Amino acid sequence: MTGDTIAAIATGMTNSGIGIVRISGNEAFHIIDKIYQSKNGKKKISEMESHTVHYGYIVDGNQIIDEVMVLILKAPNTYTREDTIEIDCHGGVLVVQKILETVIKYGARPAEPGEFTKRAFLNGRIDLSQAESVMDVIQAKNDFALKTSMEQLKGSVLKVVKELREKIIYEIAYIESALDDPEHYDLTGYGEKLDSIINPIMNEIQKLLVTADNGKILKEGINTAIVGKPNAGKSSLLNSLVGKERAIVTDIAGTTRDILEEQINLNGISLNVIDTAGIRKTDDIVEKIGVDRAKESIKDADLVIYVVDSSRELSNEDDDIIELIKEKNTIILLNKMDLAPVVTKDEMLKLSDKKVISISAKENKGIDELEETIKDMFFHGKIEMNDEVYITNVRHKTALKNAYDSLELVKKSIENQMPEDFYSIDLMNAYEELGTIIGESVEDDLVNEIFSKFCMGK
Ligand SMILES: Nc1nc2c(ncn2[C@@H]2O[C@H](COP(=O)(O)OP(=O)(O)OP(=O)(O)O)[C@@H](O)[C@H]2O)c(=O)[nH]1
Ligand SMILES: [Mg+2]
């Protein structure tokens, strides 16, 4: 147990139906006894049964602060494993703050961000990957993110990582024992055997690493830049994807000057779409800044949508754009298919090896095909959420990568017929790296770093 008693507002700081102030620690009941007054009886709240709700007032001396419901949770069956009180009060920002101030006045200290979850971790209720997923659940932007975070919260990552670590530690233990006691444990031919044990472990890690790439995109959204010449219909496309008139559309070339960003949800996948200024040579200072930004946005994009006005001849500027997008994931849209075509798919395919789709942003045609293509591009057609474990956390990904590299070193040592203690050094590194994912053998710094990222009151 950590000792002191912490308190924080657990709900958002806006006026809402209810607000919750949470208290956790040894003094939690002592504090609530001093500031809670029940509606009828005089009984102390600390004498009531655990996991019950009580109706009364929060008071500071004679002054009533709010009418509340108090939830009492006695250790160890609580989130933090400590005595916990939750005060449900009216949801006005001022009221909630007043209650927190009173709780602090009578002995609690304001919690650091994420400190409740940190205590849950330190007191052994959850592992580190679960703790991190608490934050992810709170911040989930779409169905996928929510679902994977919930899976992780239930311990999906923990399970896989634990299994891998068990296999590795077994081999380390074997090597150590054999080196100590060669009469009972034989290491002849062990290198080969170890190699055959490491391979499936490395495959498993590799599989997790692949999900990490999808995972990041699924969680944070695909950064998508819509680019093209002025008047091609970029803003019209954005509007069509968003489903409302978000960007200004006119027939004047050079309408969009600055970058405009919108989030779109495609059946559970988020797209962070930016509409950019039409790319062309210009002497207009403001437009030129916009054009430079448009070019810059190509560099940062996971996906570029290059919109071409198919009712007009291509020009040098199209060649320039094709050059800029050469290395990027790109979909070329031949827009304005409702008009007489001047640029055809075949012509476009001669200039670029990218996927080409005909659409009409104005009449909303071809948008479905665009959406399907995006899904295929990023998830090879299958984005349905199966039971696969997804890695959605950058820290986990790095640790997996490091573990993989260490195992590769083990393989090298085997290949070069190095002495066995070389194997165990790198096996140990892999073991420790995997351990950092679930918070075993982690440094205090790392723990603090992770928990300080949490929202207050969680
Ligand atoms: N016929 C037809 N017209 C379209 C289509 N898409 C866009 N337009 C028209 O093309 C003109 C330019 O559209 P915008 O969406 O403003 O083009 P933009 O690429 O954003 O242009 P800039 O912001 O100037 O770079 C407008 O008059 C639109 O109504 C389409 O599919 N068919
Ligand atoms: Mg525009």
Side-chain angles (χ1 to χ4, degrees):
M1 295 285 149
T2 334
D4 61 351
T5 297
I6 54 173
I9 297 166
T11 40
M13 287 307 282
T14 53
N15 288 327
S16 53
I18 61 163
I20 298 176
V21 173
R22 219 186 220 178
I23 317 169
S24 174
N26 294 338
E27 290 293 301
F29 283 88
H30 194 61
I31 293 167
I32 195 72
D33 274 342
K34 285 192 273 190
I35 62 171
Y36 172 81
Q37 205 172 71
S38 71
K39 266 259 146 112
N40 35 35
K42 297 247 176 332
K43 215 172 166 190
K44 278 184 173 177
I45 217 162
S46 55
E47 288 162 7
M48 319 265 192
E49 244 178 80
S50 183
H51 293 73
T52 53
V53 182
H54 304 271
Y55 173 48
Y57 301 104
I58 292 296
V59 295
D60 180 3
N62 293 328
Q63 195 200 346
I64 292 182
I65 293 167
D66 194 15
E67 192 180 19
V68 297
M69 306 271 273
V70 173
L71 179 62
I72 62 177
L73 303 154
K74 293 188 181 167
N77 291 325
T78 69
Y79 182 59
T80 55
R81 291 264 202 260
E82 303 172 336
D83 282 343
T84 300
I85 296 286
E86 270 185 31
I87 304 171
D88 287 13
C89 57
H90 289 106
V93 172
L94 202 66
V95 181
V96 190
Q97 245 158 6
K98 264 253 165 278
I99 290 182
L100 178 64
E101 277 165 24
T102 312
V103 169
I104 288 165
K105 182 171 162 188
Y106 285 88
R109 128 178 110 65
E112 307 283 333
E115 201 173 1
F116 288 90
T117 308
K118 181 176 175 181
R119 288 188 174 194
F121 166 69
L122 291 175
N123 295 331
R125 203 183 86 83
I126 52 177
D127 85 302
L128 204 53
S129 70
Q130 287 171 309
E132 285 168 307
S133 62
V134 172
M135 180 164 63
D136 289 342
V137 168
I138 296 161
Q139 293 175 344
K141 287 196 206 131
N142 57 42
D143 293 349
F144 173 84
L146 185 59
K147 161 129 189 202
T148 49
S149 315
M150 282 310 291
E151 285 296 324
Q152 285 168 18
L153 187 56
K154 284 192 281 174
S156 63
V157 172
L158 172 67
K159 185 163 169 280
V160 180
V161 169
K162 260 192 163 162
E163 280 166 13
L164 295 176
R165 289 183 94 220
E166 269 163 27
K167 287 181 191 156
I168 294 172
I169 200 78
Y170 181 87
E171 299 308 318
I172 297 171
Y174 185 83
I175 297 171
E176 297 301 320
S177 314
L179 292 174
D180 279 353
D181 184 6
E183 280 176 26
H184 291 95
Y185 299 97
D186 189 9
L187 280 174
T188 28
Y190 175 70
E192 233 167 71
K193 182 172 159 244
L194 182 60
D195 196 62
S196 73
I197 291 165
I198 292 177
N199 287 333
I201 297 179
M202 288 175 79
N203 286 342
E204 190 72 24
I205 294 178
Q206 189 58 40
K207 243 172 63 191
L208 290 172
L209 283 169
V210 170
T211 74
D213 291 336
N214 275 355
K216 176 191 167 284
I217 281 174
L218 286 166
K219 196 171 116 183
E220 288 164 19
I222 303 168
N223 292 329
T224 307
I226 304 178
V227 302
K229 286 193 301 189
N231 243 344
K234 300 178 294 298
S235 301
S236 305
L237 173 69
L238 179 85
N239 290 344
S240 171
L241 288 170
V242 177
K244 62 178 184 215
E245 298 300 307
R246 179 67 180 83
I248 301 170
V249 168
T250 74
D251 55 7
I252 305 164
T255 300
T256 306
R257 293 299 182 94
D258 205 351
I259 276 171
L260 195 83
E261 191 162 357
E262 272 293 313
Q263 261 217 356
I264 300 167
N265 202 309
L266 276 192
N267 304 327
I269 313 170
S270 296
L271 251 55
N272 311 317
V273 185
I274 53 176
D275 178 23
T276 63
I279 296 176
R280 66 169 168 186
K281 295 203 171 62
T282 172
D283 292 329
D284 183 311
I285 300 172
V286 179
E287 189 181 355
K288 189 167 179 314
I289 296 171
V291 171
D292 289 342
R293 286 191 183 164
K295 290 180 178 168
E296 203 56 37
S297 73
I298 293 177
K299 286 188 199 146
D300 300 332
D302 301 314
L303 169 68
V304 177
I305 297 179
Y306 167 30
V307 183
V308 177
D309 180 349
S310 66
S311 70
R312 310 183 69 174
E313 293 285 351
L314 294 174
S315 65
N316 292 341
E317 275 137 351
D318 290 292
D319 296 331
D320 294 344
I321 297 172
I322 289 170
E323 184 61 28
L324 287 172
I325 60 173
K326 213 167 55 186
E327 305 288 329
K328 304 294 291 191
N329 260 331
T330 306
I331 299 172
I332 300 178
L333 296 182
L334 293 181
N335 189 31
K336 310 197 187 181
M337 69 189 270
D338 52 295
L339 302 178
V342 176
V343 185
T344 61
K345 255 190 191 179
D346 288 343
E347 185 179 353
M348 210 65 228
L349 287 169
K350 272 182 212 144
L351 296 173
S352 159
D353 57 355
K354 310 290 184 191
K355 171 96 186 160
V356 181
I357 302 170
S358 295
I359 67 153
S360 167
K362 197 172 181 177
E363 296 184 354
N364 250 319
K365 286 195 182 126
I367 305 293
D368 290 348
E369 192 182 344
L370 170 63
E371 294 184 352
E372 278 309 311
T373 308
I374 294 173
K375 270 200 238 165
D376 286 349
M377 238 171 157
F378 285 87
F379 310 106
H380 316 291
K382 52 171 172 57
I383 168 89
E384 63 301 338
M385 300 174 196
N386 43 31
D387 292 334
E388 206 175 334
V389 176
Y390 272 92
I391 298 295
T392 51
N393 184 300
V394 182
R395 197 181 67 75
H396 299 175
K397 185 182 171 182
T398 312
L400 285 167
K401 181 87 188 41
N402 293 342
Y404 188 90
D405 292 346
S406 295
L407 293 177
E408 205 144 56
L409 290 176
V410 179
K411 277 177 80 75
K412 278 227 174 77
S413 305
I414 297 172
E415 208 179 290
N416 299 333
Q417 302 188 335
M418 306 289 272
E420 282 82 5
D421 41 359
F422 275 77
Y423 308 166
S424 55
I425 292 170
D426 291 318
L427 282 173
M428 202 54 185
N429 285 340
Y431 181 77
E432 278 179 355
E433 282 294 341
L434 292 175
T436 62
I437 296 176
I438 54 177
E440 284 180 21
S441 74
V442 291
E443 318 258 333
D444 280 353
D445 295 354
L446 176 62
V447 174
N448 283 334
E449 160 76 13
I450 288 165
F451 288 103
S452 64
K453 286 194 187 130
F454 278 79
C455 316
M456 207 43 125
K458 303 297 174 318

